[in-house]
Amino acid sequence: MATRADVVFINAKVFTSDQDNPYAEAVAVRGNKIVYVGNNEGVQEFQGKRTKLIDAMGHTLTAGFIDTHVHLLWGSIWLGNAELREVQTKDDLKKVLLDFASENKTQPWIAGRGIRYGIVSTRQELDEIISDRPIYIGAFDGHTAWANTKALELAGILQDDHREMTNGIIVRDEKGLAAGELREADGMDAVFSLLPIPDANRKRELLKLGIKEFNKTGITSVHNMNGDMEELMAYAALEDAGEMNMRVYVPYHVKPEATEENLKEAGQMAKVQMDYVRGGVAKFFMDGVWESYTAFNVDPYADEPDTKVESIFSLEHFTRMATLCDKMGLQIAVHACGDAAVRQTLDGYEAIQKTNGTRDSRHRVEHIEVCQPDDMPRFKQLGVIASMQTSHAPFSLEDDMVWTKRTGAQRWRLSFAWRDLINAGAHLCLGSDWTVAPFDPMINIYVALNRKKLSPSDPDQRLTMEECILGYTRDAAYVEFKENEKGQVKEGFLADLVLFSEDLFAVNAENIRSVKAMVTMIDGRIVHES
């Protein structure tokens, strides 16, 4: 007789992500493990008086979703600022900022995040909204920000001080005054570094709030794509206190100025292997983004052909530092939006293998917004992961304001090439890049299922529902070397599960955004139920 389960799901449309047993209708959980996957009749012997019985009513049950690219702590801290994602016009921005200023009269700064490109571009436009308090607003992609005159004065950069920046630009007008636009990390940090930092208790509360919101959408694991030991310890403190409801994989961010000595921190982080929180990866940025003219491209920008962009790391610099990381046994993830950045990253990975030899490294390229056809097969050849975020792609030509102009029609067929990369044998995993895009998987799956061609001659890059679920479960677990522990509804695996409000395979693709997570379970504990 089977030992009684703590929780049993019946009448479910279970998509297991297990290729040997792809479908089931009942699941039993005891402790933090799945102990049965099968039919309603077979699960009865696991039911006891104290077993929580959940009738799924024909809805889809899957492994807990794994978002392979987020900025969890950073994004959670921004939850305390003005939300600009829905802003469409300058008038919208004015209302949001004035409302925020009125509701937060004691805050010295007016800060917001999530605005689209093309709404404001100068300090004077922000001065017209509020001039007596400093304003700092970040673009949705985290690569550009805008500040009013007051903020620029406080930062000491209104006048040109000729400061050198490894990775950043302060846009200036014809008089040499700061125009208000700040590009990339060093440019933005010139002002952002002045913003008040929440104390440890406030950070902790905001982090818990962020995790709770993720749980509401069925996400049980994330790959946090920025970090250091301090950030890793912030997550570890939650686990030590028994308050952690998310599995978090945290990299060490290798900045251009980093020394070989700094990489020891990445090695120390890799030694942290807790149930929920762990290190083991190094993160590099090879370039910026198309929108701010900082993506590293094979051919010139379509709308500004005279703009010259260099990679953040030269090939020699990247290869030297990444080879050391690889030798330490670290996984490597590289931000690369432009096609030249993707190519240079792959060149670096190839050079690493020649120096250190081939191992099961599962190095990654993040974003891959444009990729040349000759580079697509190299992902499989080098064993490199394609880590992509579907909501980055312009949904349609009508929906986009900036990206399609920067790239030009000649690149559209090479853009966000999910299907082409899969066909070339790449291992694809999915994520959101929150706060750049919403973390709700259904919003991102909607784009994956319904994306329109930018030109009639473009290849169809859409994904199927099955591919989307695999990209968020089994294939995502593989990326973090946890494919034998989670990412599948399989006996002996961790009880990270999500029950949705519908049968995902029966819902019209255009209506998928209406689907919600009804039950989210992590480590056998129900952390969200509606």
Side-chain angles (χ1 to χ4, degrees):
M1 185 176 182
T3 306
R4 302 305 187 200
D6 299 313
V7 181
V8 164
F9 296 87
I10 60 171
N11 299 322
K13 294 284 182 70
V14 185
F15 182 82
T16 66
S17 299
D18 176 4
Q19 60 185 4
D20 296 326
N21 183 34
Y23 306 104
E25 64 178 351
V27 174
V29 172
R30 184 169 60 248
N32 70 338
K33 296 291 179 66
I34 297 167
V35 294
Y36 175 83
V37 179
N39 57 35
N40 287 336
E41 182 180 358
V43 84
Q44 290 179 7
E45 64 176 311
F46 290 88
Q47 296 179 42
K49 292 181 179 179
R50 296 182 180 179
T51 301
K52 180 180 178 68
L53 183 64
I54 298 176
D55 186 347
M57 298 183 293
H59 301 163
T60 296
L61 176 73
T62 71
F65 273 30
I66 303 166
D67 189 323
T68 59
H69 194 121
V70 305
H71 302 278
L72 183 56
L73 179 59
W74 176 38
S76 296
I77 289 172
W78 273 102
L79 292 173
N81 294 297
E83 172 55 58
L84 307 179
R85 196 177 301 279
E86 300 303 320
V87 167
Q88 299 292 325
T89 67
K90 205 175 297 183
D91 286 339
D92 291 344
L93 177 63
K94 181 177 181 179
K95 182 179 187 311
V96 172
L97 292 183
L98 288 176
D99 287 349
F100 183 85
S102 176
E103 295 165 5
N104 297 273
K105 293 178 180 178
T106 61
Q107 288 195 23
W109 283 74
I110 309 301
R113 175 68 193 272
I115 195 166
R116 300 173 67 178
Y117 287 84
I119 294 174
V120 293
S121 59
T122 69
R123 58 186 169 88
Q124 290 88 348
E125 291 172 294
L126 293 175
D127 291 343
E128 290 173 3
I129 299 174
I130 297 171
S131 61
D132 60 342
R133 292 166 73 181
I135 297 176
Y136 175 93
I137 58 173
F140 71 90
D141 59 11
H143 288 264
T144 306
W146 295 268
N148 68 354
T149 302
K150 184 77 170 178
L152 297 168
E153 288 174 338
L154 289 172
I157 60 171
L158 182 60
Q159 305 288 337
D160 192 353
D161 62 358
H162 303 287
R163 66 178 66 187
E164 292 186 5
M165 292 186 171
T166 304
N167 176 31
I169 299 170
I170 297 172
V171 176
R172 297 194 174 277
D173 62 22
E174 64 279 359
K175 296 179 180 178
L177 297 176
E181 184 168 308
L182 311 164
R183 297 178 183 171
E184 297 304 327
D186 291 350
M188 294 186 293
D189 284 348
V191 175
F192 180 74
S193 61
L194 301 180
L195 268 65
I197 300 173
D199 63 26
N201 288 334
R202 178 60 173 158
K203 277 186 180 179
R204 186 174 181 140
E205 290 307 310
L206 288 169
L207 179 56
K208 288 166 64 177
L209 174 62
I211 290 171
K212 184 177 181 180
E213 293 302 309
F214 270 72
N215 291 156
K216 287 180 181 178
T217 67
I219 297 172
T220 57
S221 296
V222 297
H223 299 181
N224 190 77
M225 279 292 113
N226 62 282
D228 52 24
M229 182 62 85
E230 181 181 359
E231 182 160 345
L232 181 67
M233 288 297 101
Y235 301 123
L238 278 186
E239 181 167 354
D240 287 339
E243 299 176 341
M244 192 47 144
N245 291 330
M246 184 71 68
R247 301 190 197 277
V248 187
Y249 187 34
V250 187
Y252 174 75
H253 179 191
V254 183
K255 298 179 181 179
E257 64 271 21
T259 64
E260 294 180 14
E261 183 71 18
N262 294 143
L263 296 182
K264 291 181 179 178
E265 185 171 337
Q268 290 299 315
M269 291 173 67
K271 294 177 182 178
V272 178
Q273 299 291 321
M274 305 169 73
D275 290 338
Y276 291 85
V277 180
R278 63 196 185 92
V281 59
K283 170 74 181 296
F284 292 76
F285 279 79
M286 191 60 74
D287 68 347
V289 294
W290 289 89
E291 289 85 349
S292 64
Y293 297 105
T294 53
F296 182 40
N297 312 319
V298 171
D299 297 311
Y301 275 87
D303 59 344
E304 290 284 350
D306 293 332
T307 298
K308 305 297 182 186
V309 179
E310 296 295 329
S311 56
I312 295 172
F313 284 82
S314 68
L315 177 58
E316 182 279 328
H317 188 190
F318 169 68
T319 302
R320 173 164 45 85
M321 297 297 282
T323 297
L324 292 170
C325 292
D326 180 78
K327 197 173 232 181
M328 295 165 66
L330 298 171
Q331 186 183 44
I332 300 167
V334 180
H335 167 117
C337 289
D339 47 358
V342 173
R343 176 170 292 170
Q344 186 158 288
T345 301
L346 294 170
D347 289 345
Y349 287 153
E350 187 171 347
I352 289 169
Q353 289 187 4
K354 290 177 180 176
T355 300
N356 290 347
T358 303
R359 67 180 181 91
D360 185 16
S361 57
R362 307 186 194 182
H363 296 327
R364 312 159 54 147
V365 184
E366 309 294 316
H367 310 315
I368 319 171
E369 295 192 357
V370 179
C371 186
Q372 291 293 326
D374 290 349
D375 290 319
M376 292 184 187
R378 299 178 70 196
F379 282 83
K380 180 180 180 181
Q381 292 163 8
L382 296 169
V384 173
I385 305 293
S387 173
M388 304 183 75
Q389 302 75 40
T390 55
S391 284
H392 282 189
F395 184 75
S396 66
L397 196 57
E398 295 74 25
D399 184 64
D400 182 69
M401 295 172 63
V402 176
W403 195 92
T404 51
K405 295 180 178 66
R406 302 282 191 270
T407 54
Q410 70 272 20
R411 292 188 183 93
W412 293 349
R413 64 185 179 83
L414 308 175
S415 302
F416 304 98
W418 314 319
R419 174 64 53 209
D420 287 349
L421 281 162
I422 289 174
N423 290 345
H427 183 104
L428 179 71
C429 66
L430 300 178
S432 65
D433 199 10
W434 185 73
T435 60
V436 175
F439 53 75
D440 185 345
M442 292 304 122
I443 294 175
N444 297 299
I445 289 174
Y446 172 82
V447 178
L449 298 177
N450 297 289
R451 171 186 171 190
K452 310 299 183 187
K453 294 182 180 182
L454 298 176
S455 169
S457 62
D458 289 348
D460 187 351
Q461 301 290 359
R462 290 177 298 174
L463 301 175
T464 66
M465 176 58 75
E466 179 174 333
E467 288 169 331
C468 289
I469 297 175
L470 291 174
Y472 268 108
T473 56
R474 184 190 71 198
D475 294 348
Y478 172 87
V479 174
E480 57 170 303
F481 302 91
K482 292 292 183 180
E483 70 271 24
N484 294 317
E485 297 181 28
K486 65 178 183 178
Q488 299 177 54
V489 184
K490 190 172 182 177
E491 291 173 17
F493 273 51
L494 291 168
D496 295 356
L497 300 167
V498 54
L499 174 65
F500 291 100
S501 60
E502 306 284 346
D503 176 356
L504 295 179
F505 293 91
V507 176
N508 186 296
E510 295 183 354
N511 298 326
I512 199 68
R513 288 176 295 185
S514 66
V515 176
K516 306 298 179 185
M518 300 299 290
V519 177
T520 304
M521 173 182 285
I522 180 168
D523 216 42
R525 298 179 296 110
I526 293 175
V527 295
H528 164 70
E529 190 169 15
S530 64

